[in-house]
Short mmCIF file of all heavy atoms in Angstrom, two decimals:
data_model
loop_
_atom_site.label_atom_id
_atom_site.label_comp_id
_atom_site.label_asym_id
_atom_site.label_seq_id
_atom_site.Cartn_x
_atom_site.Cartn_y
_atom_site.Cartn_z
N SER A 1 0.81 -1.21 0.00
CA SER A 1 0.02 -0.02 0.00
C SER A 1 0.85 1.24 -0.01
O SER A 1 0.37 2.34 -0.38
CB SER A 1 -0.94 0.01 1.23
OG SER A 1 -0.22 -0.02 2.43
N CYS A 2 2.12 1.15 0.40
CA CYS A 2 3.02 2.30 0.39
C CYS A 2 3.35 2.71 -1.03
O CYS A 2 3.96 3.78 -1.23
CB CYS A 2 4.28 2.00 1.17
SG CYS A 2 4.02 1.92 2.95
N ASP A 3 3.01 1.93 -2.03
CA ASP A 3 3.15 2.38 -3.43
C ASP A 3 2.38 3.66 -3.66
O ASP A 3 2.71 4.49 -4.51
CB ASP A 3 2.67 1.31 -4.41
CG ASP A 3 3.72 0.24 -4.70
OD1 ASP A 3 4.77 0.24 -4.00
OD2 ASP A 3 3.52 -0.55 -5.63
N MET A 4 1.27 3.87 -2.88
CA MET A 4 0.45 5.07 -3.03
C MET A 4 1.26 6.31 -2.61
O MET A 4 0.86 7.43 -2.98
CB MET A 4 -0.83 4.94 -2.23
CG MET A 4 -1.82 3.93 -2.82
SD MET A 4 -3.44 4.03 -2.01
CE MET A 4 -3.06 3.34 -0.40
N ALA A 5 2.31 6.15 -1.82
CA ALA A 5 3.09 7.30 -1.41
C ALA A 5 3.91 7.87 -2.57
O ALA A 5 4.46 8.97 -2.46
CB ALA A 5 4.03 6.91 -0.28
N ASP A 6 4.00 7.10 -3.68
CA ASP A 6 4.75 7.57 -4.84
C ASP A 6 3.87 8.26 -5.87
O ASP A 6 4.36 8.68 -6.91
CB ASP A 6 5.49 6.42 -5.49
CG ASP A 6 6.50 5.78 -4.55
OD1 ASP A 6 7.10 6.53 -3.77
OD2 ASP A 6 6.68 4.54 -4.58
N ARG A 7 2.58 8.36 -5.60
CA ARG A 7 1.66 9.02 -6.54
C ARG A 7 1.29 10.38 -5.95
O ARG A 7 0.95 10.47 -4.76
CB ARG A 7 0.45 8.16 -6.78
CG ARG A 7 0.80 6.74 -7.25
CD ARG A 7 -0.39 5.97 -7.70
NE ARG A 7 -0.95 6.55 -8.92
CZ ARG A 7 -2.07 6.15 -9.44
NH1 ARG A 7 -2.78 5.19 -8.85
NH2 ARG A 7 -2.56 6.74 -10.56
N LEU A 8 1.35 11.41 -6.74
CA LEU A 8 1.36 12.78 -6.24
C LEU A 8 0.11 13.55 -6.61
O LEU A 8 -0.42 13.48 -7.72
CB LEU A 8 2.58 13.50 -6.80
CG LEU A 8 2.82 14.94 -6.29
CD1 LEU A 8 3.11 14.94 -4.85
CD2 LEU A 8 3.94 15.56 -7.09
N ILE A 9 -0.40 14.32 -5.62
CA ILE A 9 -1.39 15.37 -5.85
C ILE A 9 -0.65 16.69 -5.76
O ILE A 9 -0.23 17.10 -4.67
CB ILE A 9 -2.52 15.32 -4.81
CG1 ILE A 9 -3.26 13.96 -4.87
CG2 ILE A 9 -3.51 16.45 -5.02
CD1 ILE A 9 -4.27 13.78 -3.74
N THR A 10 -0.40 17.31 -6.89
CA THR A 10 0.42 18.57 -6.88
C THR A 10 -0.35 19.72 -6.27
O THR A 10 0.15 20.44 -5.42
CB THR A 10 0.86 18.95 -8.31
OG1 THR A 10 -0.33 19.03 -9.14
CG2 THR A 10 1.78 17.88 -8.88
N LEU A 11 -1.58 19.92 -6.71
CA LEU A 11 -2.46 20.98 -6.17
C LEU A 11 -3.90 20.60 -6.46
O LEU A 11 -4.32 20.48 -7.60
CB LEU A 11 -2.13 22.34 -6.82
CG LEU A 11 -3.04 23.47 -6.46
CD1 LEU A 11 -3.02 23.76 -4.97
CD2 LEU A 11 -2.67 24.74 -7.25
N GLY A 12 -4.63 20.34 -5.39
CA GLY A 12 -6.03 19.95 -5.56
C GLY A 12 -6.87 20.48 -4.42
O GLY A 12 -6.40 20.63 -3.29
N THR A 13 -8.12 20.80 -4.72
CA THR A 13 -9.03 21.34 -3.71
C THR A 13 -10.25 20.45 -3.63
O THR A 13 -10.96 20.29 -4.60
CB THR A 13 -9.44 22.77 -4.04
OG1 THR A 13 -8.29 23.61 -4.14
CG2 THR A 13 -10.37 23.32 -2.99
N PHE A 14 -10.46 19.86 -2.47
CA PHE A 14 -11.63 19.06 -2.21
C PHE A 14 -12.78 20.00 -1.84
O PHE A 14 -12.65 20.78 -0.93
CB PHE A 14 -11.33 18.05 -1.09
CG PHE A 14 -12.51 17.20 -0.68
CD1 PHE A 14 -13.17 16.41 -1.59
CD2 PHE A 14 -12.97 17.20 0.62
CE1 PHE A 14 -14.23 15.63 -1.22
CE2 PHE A 14 -14.03 16.44 1.03
CZ PHE A 14 -14.67 15.63 0.07
N SER A 15 -13.87 19.87 -2.56
CA SER A 15 -15.00 20.78 -2.35
C SER A 15 -15.90 20.38 -1.19
O SER A 15 -16.87 21.13 -0.90
CB SER A 15 -15.82 20.88 -3.64
OG SER A 15 -16.33 19.58 -4.01
N GLY A 16 -15.64 19.25 -0.55
CA GLY A 16 -16.43 18.82 0.58
C GLY A 16 -17.30 17.61 0.21
O GLY A 16 -17.54 17.32 -0.95
N GLY A 17 -17.76 16.92 1.25
CA GLY A 17 -18.58 15.75 1.02
C GLY A 17 -18.28 14.66 2.06
O GLY A 17 -17.68 14.91 3.10
N SER A 18 -18.69 13.44 1.74
CA SER A 18 -18.51 12.33 2.68
C SER A 18 -17.07 11.79 2.58
O SER A 18 -16.35 12.11 1.62
CB SER A 18 -19.48 11.21 2.32
OG SER A 18 -19.13 10.63 1.06
N PRO A 19 -16.61 11.00 3.56
CA PRO A 19 -15.30 10.37 3.45
C PRO A 19 -15.12 9.56 2.15
O PRO A 19 -14.05 9.53 1.60
CB PRO A 19 -15.22 9.48 4.69
CG PRO A 19 -16.06 10.23 5.69
CD PRO A 19 -17.21 10.78 4.90
N GLN A 20 -16.19 8.84 1.75
CA GLN A 20 -16.08 8.10 0.50
C GLN A 20 -15.91 9.04 -0.70
O GLN A 20 -15.16 8.74 -1.63
CB GLN A 20 -17.33 7.24 0.28
CG GLN A 20 -17.24 6.28 -0.92
CD GLN A 20 -16.10 5.31 -0.80
OE1 GLN A 20 -16.06 4.55 0.18
NE2 GLN A 20 -15.21 5.28 -1.77
N ASP A 21 -16.57 10.21 -0.64
CA ASP A 21 -16.36 11.22 -1.70
C ASP A 21 -14.91 11.67 -1.73
O ASP A 21 -14.34 11.88 -2.78
CB ASP A 21 -17.29 12.40 -1.48
CG ASP A 21 -18.76 12.07 -1.69
OD1 ASP A 21 -19.03 11.14 -2.45
OD2 ASP A 21 -19.62 12.76 -1.08
N PHE A 22 -14.32 11.82 -0.56
CA PHE A 22 -12.94 12.26 -0.47
C PHE A 22 -12.02 11.22 -1.09
O PHE A 22 -11.09 11.56 -1.83
CB PHE A 22 -12.55 12.52 0.97
CG PHE A 22 -11.14 12.96 1.14
CD1 PHE A 22 -10.81 14.33 1.13
CD2 PHE A 22 -10.09 12.05 1.32
CE1 PHE A 22 -9.50 14.73 1.28
CE2 PHE A 22 -8.79 12.46 1.46
CZ PHE A 22 -8.46 13.78 1.44
N ILE A 23 -12.25 9.95 -0.83
CA ILE A 23 -11.42 8.88 -1.40
C ILE A 23 -11.49 8.93 -2.90
O ILE A 23 -10.46 8.86 -3.62
CB ILE A 23 -11.86 7.51 -0.84
CG1 ILE A 23 -11.55 7.40 0.66
CG2 ILE A 23 -11.14 6.37 -1.59
CD1 ILE A 23 -12.04 6.15 1.31
N ASN A 24 -12.69 9.03 -3.42
CA ASN A 24 -12.88 9.10 -4.87
C ASN A 24 -12.20 10.33 -5.48
O ASN A 24 -11.56 10.25 -6.55
CB ASN A 24 -14.35 9.05 -5.24
CG ASN A 24 -15.05 7.81 -4.76
OD1 ASN A 24 -14.42 6.78 -4.56
ND2 ASN A 24 -16.35 7.89 -4.55
N TRP A 25 -12.31 11.46 -4.77
CA TRP A 25 -11.72 12.70 -5.25
C TRP A 25 -10.19 12.56 -5.31
O TRP A 25 -9.55 12.95 -6.29
CB TRP A 25 -12.11 13.85 -4.38
CG TRP A 25 -11.30 15.09 -4.64
CD1 TRP A 25 -11.48 16.05 -5.62
CD2 TRP A 25 -10.13 15.48 -3.91
NE1 TRP A 25 -10.52 16.98 -5.55
CE2 TRP A 25 -9.65 16.68 -4.52
CE3 TRP A 25 -9.44 14.96 -2.82
CZ2 TRP A 25 -8.53 17.36 -4.05
CZ3 TRP A 25 -8.30 15.61 -2.36
CH2 TRP A 25 -7.86 16.80 -2.98
N ALA A 26 -9.56 12.09 -4.24
CA ALA A 26 -8.13 12.00 -4.15
C ALA A 26 -7.56 11.09 -5.23
O ALA A 26 -6.54 11.42 -5.87
CB ALA A 26 -7.71 11.46 -2.75
N GLU A 27 -8.21 9.98 -5.49
CA GLU A 27 -7.73 9.08 -6.53
C GLU A 27 -7.79 9.71 -7.92
O GLU A 27 -6.98 9.47 -8.78
CB GLU A 27 -8.51 7.78 -6.50
CG GLU A 27 -8.27 6.94 -5.24
CD GLU A 27 -9.19 5.74 -5.14
OE1 GLU A 27 -10.25 5.74 -5.86
OE2 GLU A 27 -8.90 4.82 -4.36
N SER A 28 -8.79 10.61 -8.13
CA SER A 28 -8.94 11.26 -9.42
C SER A 28 -7.98 12.43 -9.57
O SER A 28 -7.75 12.91 -10.70
CB SER A 28 -10.38 11.78 -9.61
OG SER A 28 -10.68 12.80 -8.68
N GLU A 29 -7.39 12.93 -8.45
CA GLU A 29 -6.53 14.08 -8.53
C GLU A 29 -5.06 13.74 -8.73
O GLU A 29 -4.23 14.66 -8.88
CB GLU A 29 -6.65 14.90 -7.19
CG GLU A 29 -7.91 15.71 -7.09
CD GLU A 29 -7.96 16.84 -8.12
OE1 GLU A 29 -6.95 17.56 -8.29
OE2 GLU A 29 -9.03 17.02 -8.74
N VAL A 30 -4.68 12.48 -8.72
CA VAL A 30 -3.31 12.08 -8.90
C VAL A 30 -2.86 12.49 -10.30
O VAL A 30 -3.50 12.18 -11.29
CB VAL A 30 -3.13 10.58 -8.71
CG1 VAL A 30 -1.73 10.15 -9.08
CG2 VAL A 30 -3.47 10.19 -7.28
N VAL A 31 -1.73 13.20 -10.37
CA VAL A 31 -1.23 13.65 -11.68
C VAL A 31 -0.51 12.53 -12.38
O VAL A 31 0.18 11.70 -11.77
CB VAL A 31 -0.26 14.84 -11.50
CG1 VAL A 31 -1.00 16.03 -10.91
CG2 VAL A 31 0.94 14.48 -10.62
N PRO A 32 -0.68 12.39 -13.67
CA PRO A 32 0.03 11.36 -14.43
C PRO A 32 1.52 11.73 -14.58
O PRO A 32 1.89 12.90 -14.50
CB PRO A 32 -0.69 11.34 -15.79
CG PRO A 32 -1.20 12.73 -15.94
CD PRO A 32 -1.57 13.18 -14.55
N SER A 33 2.32 10.69 -14.76
CA SER A 33 3.74 10.92 -15.03
C SER A 33 3.89 11.63 -16.39
O SER A 33 3.04 11.51 -17.30
CB SER A 33 4.49 9.59 -15.08
OG SER A 33 5.77 9.78 -15.65
N TRP A 34 4.92 12.46 -16.51
CA TRP A 34 5.16 13.13 -17.79
C TRP A 34 5.33 12.09 -18.91
O TRP A 34 5.04 12.36 -20.06
CB TRP A 34 6.42 14.00 -17.69
CG TRP A 34 6.15 15.29 -16.96
CD1 TRP A 34 5.01 15.61 -16.27
CD2 TRP A 34 7.03 16.37 -16.83
NE1 TRP A 34 5.13 16.87 -15.72
CE2 TRP A 34 6.39 17.38 -16.05
CE3 TRP A 34 8.33 16.64 -17.27
CZ2 TRP A 34 6.94 18.57 -15.74
CZ3 TRP A 34 8.91 17.87 -16.96
CH2 TRP A 34 8.24 18.81 -16.18
N MET A 35 5.86 10.94 -18.53
CA MET A 35 6.07 9.89 -19.51
C MET A 35 4.74 9.16 -19.81
O MET A 35 4.67 8.43 -20.83
CB MET A 35 7.09 8.87 -19.03
CG MET A 35 8.50 9.45 -18.85
SD MET A 35 9.27 9.83 -20.42
CE MET A 35 9.52 8.21 -21.07
N GLY A 36 3.76 9.36 -18.96
CA GLY A 36 2.50 8.65 -19.16
C GLY A 36 2.47 7.36 -18.37
O GLY A 36 3.46 6.61 -18.38
N HIS A 37 1.36 7.10 -17.71
CA HIS A 37 1.27 5.91 -16.89
C HIS A 37 1.37 4.62 -17.73
O HIS A 37 1.65 3.55 -17.18
CB HIS A 37 -0.05 5.91 -16.08
CG HIS A 37 0.01 6.76 -14.88
ND1 HIS A 37 1.12 6.90 -14.07
CD2 HIS A 37 -0.92 7.54 -14.30
CE1 HIS A 37 0.90 7.70 -13.09
NE2 HIS A 37 -0.36 8.13 -13.20
N GLU A 38 1.07 4.71 -19.01
CA GLU A 38 1.12 3.49 -19.82
C GLU A 38 2.52 2.93 -19.90
O GLU A 38 2.72 1.77 -20.28
CB GLU A 38 0.57 3.77 -21.23
CG GLU A 38 1.39 4.75 -22.07
CD GLU A 38 1.03 6.18 -21.82
OE1 GLU A 38 0.21 6.45 -20.91
OE2 GLU A 38 1.54 7.06 -22.53
N TRP A 39 3.52 3.72 -19.56
CA TRP A 39 4.91 3.24 -19.61
C TRP A 39 5.21 2.39 -18.35
O TRP A 39 6.22 1.67 -18.35
CB TRP A 39 5.88 4.41 -19.67
CG TRP A 39 5.85 5.09 -20.99
CD1 TRP A 39 5.05 6.10 -21.41
CD2 TRP A 39 6.74 4.85 -22.10
NE1 TRP A 39 5.33 6.47 -22.69
CE2 TRP A 39 6.39 5.71 -23.14
CE3 TRP A 39 7.82 3.94 -22.31
CZ2 TRP A 39 7.04 5.74 -24.38
CZ3 TRP A 39 8.46 3.96 -23.53
CH2 TRP A 39 8.04 4.84 -24.56
N TYR A 40 4.39 2.51 -17.36
CA TYR A 40 4.70 1.82 -16.07
C TYR A 40 3.57 0.83 -15.75
O TYR A 40 2.40 1.10 -16.03
CB TYR A 40 4.84 2.83 -14.95
CG TYR A 40 5.91 3.87 -15.19
CD1 TYR A 40 5.57 5.13 -15.69
CD2 TYR A 40 7.23 3.60 -14.91
CE1 TYR A 40 6.54 6.09 -15.92
CE2 TYR A 40 8.22 4.56 -15.10
CZ TYR A 40 7.88 5.79 -15.62
OH TYR A 40 8.84 6.73 -15.82
N GLY A 41 3.95 -0.28 -15.13
CA GLY A 41 2.95 -1.23 -14.71
C GLY A 41 2.49 -1.00 -13.30
O GLY A 41 2.56 -1.91 -12.47
N HIS A 42 2.06 0.22 -12.98
CA HIS A 42 1.70 0.54 -11.59
C HIS A 42 0.42 -0.22 -11.19
O HIS A 42 -0.40 -0.56 -12.05
CB HIS A 42 1.50 2.03 -11.44
CG HIS A 42 0.25 2.56 -12.12
ND1 HIS A 42 0.19 2.81 -13.47
CD2 HIS A 42 -0.98 2.82 -11.62
CE1 HIS A 42 -1.02 3.25 -13.76
NE2 HIS A 42 -1.74 3.26 -12.67
N TYR A 43 0.32 -0.48 -9.89
CA TYR A 43 -0.85 -1.16 -9.37
C TYR A 43 -1.95 -0.13 -9.03
O TYR A 43 -1.67 1.01 -8.70
CB TYR A 43 -0.49 -1.96 -8.12
CG TYR A 43 0.56 -3.03 -8.37
CD1 TYR A 43 1.56 -3.27 -7.49
CD2 TYR A 43 0.52 -3.81 -9.53
CE1 TYR A 43 2.52 -4.25 -7.71
CE2 TYR A 43 1.46 -4.77 -9.78
CZ TYR A 43 2.48 -5.00 -8.87
OH TYR A 43 3.41 -5.98 -9.08
N THR A 44 -3.17 -0.57 -9.08
CA THR A 44 -4.30 0.29 -8.74
C THR A 44 -4.86 -0.14 -7.37
O THR A 44 -4.89 -1.33 -7.08
CB THR A 44 -5.41 0.21 -9.81
OG1 THR A 44 -5.84 -1.14 -9.96
CG2 THR A 44 -4.87 0.71 -11.14
N PHE A 45 -5.27 0.83 -6.60
CA PHE A 45 -5.77 0.57 -5.24
C PHE A 45 -7.19 1.10 -5.13
O PHE A 45 -7.56 2.07 -5.76
CB PHE A 45 -4.89 1.26 -4.21
CG PHE A 45 -3.46 0.75 -4.17
CD1 PHE A 45 -2.52 1.24 -5.08
CD2 PHE A 45 -3.08 -0.22 -3.25
CE1 PHE A 45 -1.20 0.75 -5.03
CE2 PHE A 45 -1.79 -0.71 -3.23
CZ PHE A 45 -0.85 -0.22 -4.13
N SER A 46 -7.96 0.42 -4.28
CA SER A 46 -9.34 0.86 -4.05
C SER A 46 -9.51 1.03 -2.54
O SER A 46 -8.92 0.31 -1.72
CB SER A 46 -10.34 -0.17 -4.58
OG SER A 46 -10.14 -1.45 -3.92
N GLY A 47 -10.34 2.02 -2.19
CA GLY A 47 -10.60 2.31 -0.77
C GLY A 47 -12.06 2.53 -0.50
O GLY A 47 -12.83 2.87 -1.40
N SER A 48 -12.42 2.40 0.77
CA SER A 48 -13.82 2.64 1.16
C SER A 48 -13.84 3.18 2.58
O SER A 48 -12.87 3.11 3.33
CB SER A 48 -14.60 1.33 1.07
OG SER A 48 -14.18 0.39 2.05
#
């Protein structure tokens, strides 16, 4: 799960909502690598 520490939110503003809304928002705010994620076999994580 520490792989998630390597994925970055450079600047994002959560507009408010439930904790589940926050999880969904944070995952959508991760910036892609300049090289593009398709170059890497990164794992995907889900939360609730």
Side-chain angles (χ1 to χ4, degrees):
S1 60
C2 289
D3 276 11
M4 289 190 290
D6 299 325
R7 306 189 67 188
L8 184 65
I9 299 174
T10 55
L11 174 60
T13 301
F14 176 58
S15 59
S18 69
Q20 186 62 57
D21 292 334
F22 180 90
I23 292 175
N24 298 337
W25 167 83
E27 291 173 343
S28 67
E29 284 294 315
V30 172
V31 296
S33 166
W34 283 8
M35 295 290 291
H37 280 324
E38 66 273 6
W39 288 86
Y40 303 97
H42 71 279
Y43 300 139
T44 58
F45 296 84
S46 61
S48 67

